[in-house]
Amino acid sequence: MAAESSAAGSMRKAPSMEWRWVSAGEEEEEGEEEARPGGPAPVGRGGSFESEDENDDGDDDDDEQQEEARQKLIRTGPSVDWFDVEGNEVSVAQPLEDYEEFDLGRTVFLALQTLAVVFGDIGISPLYTFDVMFNKYPILGEEDVLGALSLVLYTLILMPLVKYVLVVLWANDDGEGGIFAMYSLICRNAKVSLIPSQVQAQAEKRMSSFRLKLPTAELERSIKVKEKLESSLLMKKLLLGLVLFGTAMFISNGVITPAMSVLSAVSGLKVGIPNASQDVVVMISIALLVILYSLQRYATSKIGFVVGPCLLIWFCCLGGIGICNLSRYGPAAFKAFNPLYAIYYFGKNPFQAWLSLGGCLLCATGSEAIFANLCYFPVRFVQSMFVLLVLPCLVLAYLGQAAFLIASQKSSEHIFFSSIPSGAFWPVFLLANLAALIASRTMTIAIFQCLKQSISLGCFPRLKIVHTSRKFMAKIYIPVVNWLLLASCLGFIVLFRSTYDVGNAYAIAELGVMIMATLYVTIIMLLIWETHIIKVISFLTTFLFLELIFLSSALSSVGDGGWALLVYASGLLMIMFIWNYGSKLKYDSEVRQKLSKDLMRKLGPNLGTMRAPGLGLVYSEIVKGVPATFGHFLTALPAIHSIIVFVCIRNVPVPVVPQSERFLFQRVCSRSYHMFRCIARYGYKDKKQEHHNTFERLLIEGLEKFIQREAVELSLQSEDDIDSDDEPTTPTRIITAANGSLYSLDVPLMVDFAPTNEAIPESPSCSTPQDPVLGYTENLELELAFIKQAKQTGAVYLIDNPIVKARKDSWFFKKLTINYFFAFLRNNCRRAVVSMSIPHSNLLQVRLTSYV
């Protein structure tokens, strides 16, 4: 019952729907069709699944206005392969929106984890914001400090609070945050995806048949936006290009964050020890980062419990130092809440004020990490923590620094550490360095999540992903990325050596991500949320205008350090573009070359060759249809196995998949072909390096249970519904193979196992004599005996390792991209199939060259 309730809980939403107008008569007819026996078959685990195309074409009527009143706007599910959708459903999966009842201990634990994972980056911004700002705009009076503080306060309110916490957090994809999550959400609601072979299981498994909704201006606008996006190839390419660019900037931001945070924290050593040189600061920063990335694998689970209280102490420390400085130097800093000081700041020296905007934006660093790390926590909880704790502490910290600057206007370097009371300097210094390491860890975790999403969507080469927790799927670790981030971060520190130059690059990375988020949220408002047009225009114009102004200021400092980040982001963008481009061409080629049903019917149950006893496991990334690789095996091998199983590996979002639900089967062609599709499902904590004997045993057991269950189901159905793939049965019963042997199309290769002594009649050629129809029980016994014989003979793994090449008539850049760059990435990434200890005698690999 728990499993059923869980499954029912996951059907509450219907985010992947299509709207269309139907008249009242059509609606009644459709309802009748669903009630008829010939209507859509219900979905059952292990049964046959059919995907029927919807007929969305309506007849044009001259009396359009009269018919409009009788029409209703209904929401229908798109045509899908239900077998593929079923492959993503496991009964133990819990809906994301189901939470336990209130528990004080769990709430406190969640609050500490939220501080450690979500707010670590933004909590470290007071260390360097004023330093970078006043490096461009020297302090000449109290008005300069108040003007800069006014800019910081309103930037802090507008960007992290209004934009991200109140708006962007709701643009999540079933709890997943980040730029790729928004792209996935848009693709689920409009057919704009250019990513190959992607089944949006999270949406499709929650589909309902119909949903009524009254037509409104916002709904009509949503339909028009959807039609525009779906009909324009340019818009589809633009959406994909923007998400790749945003991801490249986000990863670059994750490289700059540790360099900026740790270097700023360690720079406080110059305040405590005035004789400390910059070389000492750089060496200590490098040592701390090496330690951080060495412990990163454990930081996502075990150390993660410790850093929460540390961040809580840090935020309280920020607020406490701010209150102390305000009480010590006076409350004059509160004047900055008057926006006129920001206007005066620009009026006094417009050019220098414009240059300092890049440093002002640094107060909002970490806003994108709040959204990217959302998968760990509920939206309401993150919003409450930011409003009640994080934002007040940050505001107090900036007010305290401003009060210190007003009292001592000569100091414009290391402002945060200079404003600390002398008695508390060293404890705060140590705590600041610890907070900087936690902030670096926050961005690294966000990068892991972003890359995981991009890998799952086919936009980044496959990498090894380690899940460090059985309770939380989002706690992951990617070893290769971890060490590459360390090398890149150390490179930036050695190259720049100064927080000012690193800060210039930091602002560019932040703004690149923010602008992409603004554009995608605007599309989501129009397409999915159906927001009023006034609100959409207000959101777009306000934030895009501000971000473009900030970007113009940051780009003015490209020569001071921003150039390195742009080069780094360009390299990442090229990798993602090449992988996506090559993967799409490869998948399109596989889809075009897959074997048709007509060809399989012409070949007959023996597939035009000999069927030798044994089990053949053909690995393929294509779930629907027979891959072209199998056709190559038919032509290259002298015989093919008596039982063929097309195996597709599918990762599902649960910790562990029960062995009883590991495999999902469906027949390919009719019963006599002995060919099956199989989806092998693994949770993120399941051990995928199974021994091949264990894998074979579990697969055969699952196949036997499927055949037994199928026999029971078929005995209750009419004889016309036997074929699970909706193919007409072959009229002939006996066929003569090329070698002169006779085979029965009903029970090929099972003559030796027939319980009766009745011989199969001979025929010189294909003929139509009718065999006695065997009962379901007899067929079941024959097929189980057939499987037992194949099991005793052994299994052979047929794996295709294709070579993708550009055609000879392709243009030069396509040849360069596919033949060299994509081939290099493909040869150095992880295989999609399961890694098992398969003996060479049981393994058959084919390198089939595909020209795209």
Side-chain angles (χ1 to χ4, degrees):
M1 294 297 293
E4 292 178 1
S5 62
S6 174
S10 65
M11 297 287 291
R12 284 199 293 262
K13 291 184 179 179
S16 181
M17 298 292 150
E18 294 182 352
W19 293 96
R20 63 190 180 98
W21 291 98
V22 297
S23 62
E26 289 176 350
E27 186 180 3
E28 293 175 0
E29 291 177 2
E30 289 179 358
E32 293 174 0
E33 289 177 0
E34 288 189 359
R36 294 171 189 164
V43 179
R45 189 174 298 275
S48 61
F49 303 83
E50 297 178 0
S51 175
E52 298 180 359
D53 295 333
E54 295 183 12
N55 182 15
D56 293 337
D57 298 332
D59 296 333
D60 295 334
D61 196 349
D62 295 335
D63 300 329
E64 208 173 297
Q65 296 179 351
Q66 296 179 1
E67 290 291 333
E68 208 172 67
R70 300 179 54 206
Q71 288 181 332
K72 291 184 179 180
L73 193 62
I74 64 171
R75 212 174 190 183
T76 62
S79 175
V80 295
D81 183 0
W82 286 106
F83 179 72
D84 200 0
V85 175
E86 184 94 348
N88 291 277
E89 295 181 344
V90 181
S91 61
V92 297
Q94 295 294 331
L96 292 173
E97 57 269 17
D98 287 347
Y99 299 104
E100 299 176 2
E101 60 182 9
F102 177 78
D103 181 19
L104 180 61
R106 180 177 178 271
T107 303
V108 173
F109 174 78
L110 201 61
L112 295 177
Q113 289 288 303
T114 305
L115 289 176
V117 176
V118 178
F119 300 116
D121 191 9
I122 197 171
I124 207 71
S125 59
L127 293 182
Y128 45 75
T129 299
F130 278 142
D131 289 356
V132 178
M133 281 192 73
F134 291 120
N135 183 52
K136 301 290 186 179
Y137 193 116
I139 301 175
L140 300 178
E142 178 180 343
E143 292 79 6
D144 297 331
V145 177
L146 293 176
L149 176 61
S150 183
L151 283 176
V152 169
L153 291 177
Y154 284 103
T155 301
L156 195 62
I157 292 173
L158 286 174
M159 292 299 183
L161 177 61
V162 177
K163 178 184 174 181
Y164 275 91
V165 174
L166 299 182
V167 179
V168 177
L169 286 184
W170 294 109
N172 63 84
D173 183 23
D174 284 332
E176 292 283 341
I179 189 73
F180 259 108
M182 289 190 286
Y183 178 74
S184 176
L185 182 62
I186 293 173
C187 291
R188 287 218 325 260
N189 289 270
K191 300 175 182 178
V192 297
S193 177
L194 294 178
I195 297 173
S197 186
Q198 293 302 320
V199 179
Q200 295 110 15
Q202 292 298 324
E204 291 163 354
K205 73 179 182 180
R206 298 179 179 183
M207 287 190 299
S208 59
S209 298
F210 293 96
R211 182 180 174 184
L212 298 177
K213 192 169 184 179
L214 295 176
T216 61
E218 289 75 18
L219 181 57
E220 293 179 3
R221 188 180 302 110
S222 172
I223 296 175
K224 292 179 181 179
V225 171
K226 178 181 178 181
E227 293 175 351
K228 180 64 176 178
L229 292 176
E230 292 179 345
S231 61
S232 175
L233 181 61
L234 178 62
M235 292 299 298
K236 295 179 182 179
K237 293 182 178 179
L238 182 61
L239 285 175
L240 180 60
L242 290 177
V243 75
L244 296 182
F245 174 76
T247 303
M249 297 300 291
F250 182 78
I251 297 174
S252 303
N253 187 14
V255 174
I256 293 292
T257 297
M260 186 67 179
S261 301
V262 175
L263 198 59
S264 299
V266 179
S267 296
L269 191 66
K270 291 184 176 182
V271 177
I273 306 176
N275 296 328
S277 64
Q278 186 66 22
D279 293 336
V280 174
V281 172
V282 171
M283 293 304 297
I284 294 176
S285 301
I286 291 175
L288 290 177
L289 287 173
V290 171
I291 295 174
L292 170 67
Y293 282 98
S294 299
L295 298 176
Q296 184 65 41
R297 176 170 185 171
Y298 309 100
T300 55
S301 56
K302 302 179 176 58
I303 300 180
F305 181 76
V306 180
V307 298
C310 293
L311 257 294
L312 178 60
I313 297 174
W314 169 249
F315 278 107
C316 294
C317 180
L318 288 177
I321 293 175
I323 294 174
C324 180
N325 287 331
L326 287 172
S327 62
R328 182 178 180 183
Y329 300 110
F334 284 98
K335 299 178 183 178
F337 282 101
N338 186 349
L340 294 178
Y341 282 96
I343 298 175
Y344 177 78
Y345 181 77
F346 274 92
K348 184 177 180 181
N349 196 333
F351 181 72
Q352 289 184 337
W354 172 70
L355 290 177
S356 67
L357 285 178
C360 176
L361 183 73
L362 296 182
C363 70
T365 56
S367 301
E368 70 291 334
I370 296 175
F371 183 48
N373 287 328
L374 179 65
C375 54
Y376 290 87
F377 311 102
V379 173
R380 294 290 188 187
F381 200 89
V382 174
Q383 292 175 329
S384 301
M385 289 295 298
F386 184 84
V387 173
L388 298 178
L389 177 64
V390 176
L391 183 60
C393 291
L394 291 176
V395 171
L396 288 173
Y398 287 115
L399 288 172
Q401 292 184 45
F404 167 77
L405 286 175
I406 292 173
S408 57
Q409 300 176 8
K410 296 181 180 179
S411 176
S412 60
E413 293 184 355
H414 313 297
I415 298 173
F416 174 79
F417 291 102
S418 299
S419 65
I420 299 174
S422 58
F425 176 80
W426 288 110
V428 175
F429 172 77
L430 295 177
L431 187 60
N433 280 269
L434 182 59
L437 293 175
I438 296 173
S440 304
R441 168 184 172 271
T442 299
M443 277 306 300
T444 304
I445 295 174
I447 290 177
F448 290 162
Q449 291 297 329
C450 179
L451 287 179
K452 174 191 169 186
Q453 295 170 357
S454 61
I455 290 171
S456 64
L457 290 175
C459 292
F460 202 88
R462 291 183 293 269
L463 302 172
K464 179 181 180 181
I465 299 177
V466 179
H467 291 268
T468 61
S469 173
R470 281 186 172 269
K471 294 182 179 180
F472 302 101
M473 177 185 176
K475 292 187 176 182
I476 62 175
Y477 169 74
I478 306 179
V480 175
V481 175
N482 182 72
W483 300 117
L484 287 178
L485 290 176
L486 173 61
S488 304
C489 184
L490 296 183
F492 274 101
I493 289 181
V494 173
L495 179 63
F496 297 123
R497 302 173 61 87
S498 170
T499 55
Y500 305 120
D501 292 338
V502 177
N504 294 328
Y506 203 0
I508 296 176
E510 284 283 337
L511 287 164
V513 181
M514 287 182 174
I515 293 175
M516 296 303 105
T518 300
L519 297 177
Y520 271 95
V521 171
T522 301
I523 297 175
I524 291 173
M525 283 181 170
L526 292 171
L527 178 65
I528 304 171
W529 295 348
E530 299 169 7
T531 309
H532 195 278
I533 190 63
I534 301 297
K535 297 180 181 179
V536 176
I537 295 176
S538 301
F539 175 85
L540 178 62
T541 54
T542 300
F543 290 104
L544 190 59
F545 175 74
L546 292 175
E547 288 160 359
L548 290 178
I549 293 178
F550 280 120
L551 181 63
S552 64
S553 174
L555 290 177
S556 66
S557 303
V558 169
D560 297 332
W563 62 269
L565 180 131
L566 293 177
V567 171
Y568 188 85
S570 300
L572 291 173
L573 180 61
M574 184 176 297
I575 291 174
M576 289 187 290
F577 170 76
I578 291 173
W579 183 260
N580 177 262
Y581 179 67
S583 299
K584 186 177 186 304
L585 292 179
K586 173 180 173 293
Y587 177 76
D588 292 342
S589 176
E590 291 177 351
V591 171
R592 288 194 302 267
Q593 296 175 6
K594 69 179 181 179
L595 305 183
S596 64
K597 292 183 179 180
D598 292 337
L599 177 60
M600 300 302 295
R601 283 194 288 265
K602 290 179 180 178
L603 291 176
N606 297 298
L607 303 176
T609 183
M610 293 293 296
R611 300 292 293 269
L615 177 64
L617 303 180
V618 182
Y619 282 88
S620 173
E621 297 182 12
I622 298 179
V623 179
K624 189 174 183 179
V626 180
T629 306
F630 184 65
H632 183 75
F633 286 131
L634 290 178
T635 57
L637 300 178
I640 201 67
H641 301 84
S642 55
I643 296 181
I644 298 296
V645 180
F646 299 100
V647 181
C648 177
I649 307 301
R650 178 63 54 84
N651 297 317
V652 293
V654 296
V656 178
V657 176
Q659 293 293 353
S660 59
E661 300 185 29
R662 171 80 68 210
F663 300 102
L664 187 66
F665 292 91
Q666 184 188 39
R667 287 192 184 272
V668 177
C669 299
S670 60
R671 176 188 296 271
S672 58
Y673 282 71
H674 300 292
M675 296 169 60
F676 303 88
R677 292 195 222 172
C678 172
I679 295 181
R681 301 177 291 181
Y682 289 86
Y684 58 83
K685 289 300 294 182
D686 279 325
K687 182 180 178 182
K688 299 181 183 178
Q689 287 75 26
E690 295 175 311
H691 192 272
H692 70 98
N693 289 332
T694 304
F695 182 82
E696 294 169 14
R697 177 177 58 82
L698 295 175
L699 186 142
I700 293 176
E701 290 177 358
L703 181 59
E704 291 175 344
K705 292 179 181 178
F706 163 74
I707 293 174
Q708 293 171 352
R709 184 168 57 247
E710 183 192 48
V712 175
E713 294 175 355
L714 293 179
S715 64
L716 302 177
Q717 296 177 2
S718 62
E719 195 171 359
D720 296 333
D721 297 329
I722 292 179
D723 190 354
S724 63
D725 276 347
D726 198 22
E727 297 184 57
T729 56
T730 308
T732 57
R733 297 290 182 176
I734 304 298
I735 188 170
T736 304
N739 58 3
S741 301
L742 298 177
Y743 296 94
S744 169
L745 297 187
D746 290 334
V747 283
L749 301 180
M750 294 198 295
V751 178
D752 296 338
F753 308 105
T756 62
N757 296 325
E758 185 176 349
I760 299 178
E762 297 184 359
S763 174
S765 60
C766 293
S767 56
T768 58
Q770 298 295 321
D771 243 2
V773 179
L774 299 176
Y776 291 113
T777 303
E778 295 177 349
N779 274 332
L780 175 62
E781 294 176 356
L782 290 174
E783 199 157 13
L784 291 179
F786 191 53
I787 294 175
K788 183 178 179 180
Q789 173 68 14
K791 178 181 178 180
Q792 294 174 353
T793 305
V796 176
Y797 296 79
L798 308 175
I799 300 176
D800 180 26
N801 189 14
I803 301 175
V804 182
K805 290 186 177 182
R807 294 190 299 267
K808 294 183 179 181
D809 58 346
S810 302
W811 46 294
F812 171 75
F813 288 104
K814 182 178 179 180
K815 291 181 180 179
L816 182 66
T817 301
I818 299 299
N819 296 348
Y820 295 97
F821 296 141
F822 180 71
F824 174 80
L825 294 175
R826 184 173 173 79
N827 292 334
N828 289 276
C829 73
R830 289 175 64 87
R831 295 290 305 275
V833 299
V834 185
S835 300
M836 292 179 291
S837 55
I838 304 174
H840 291 288
S841 58
N842 292 33
L843 181 63
L844 181 60
Q845 295 192 57
V846 175
R847 296 183 67 88
L848 182 64
T849 302
S850 299
Y851 291 93
V852 296

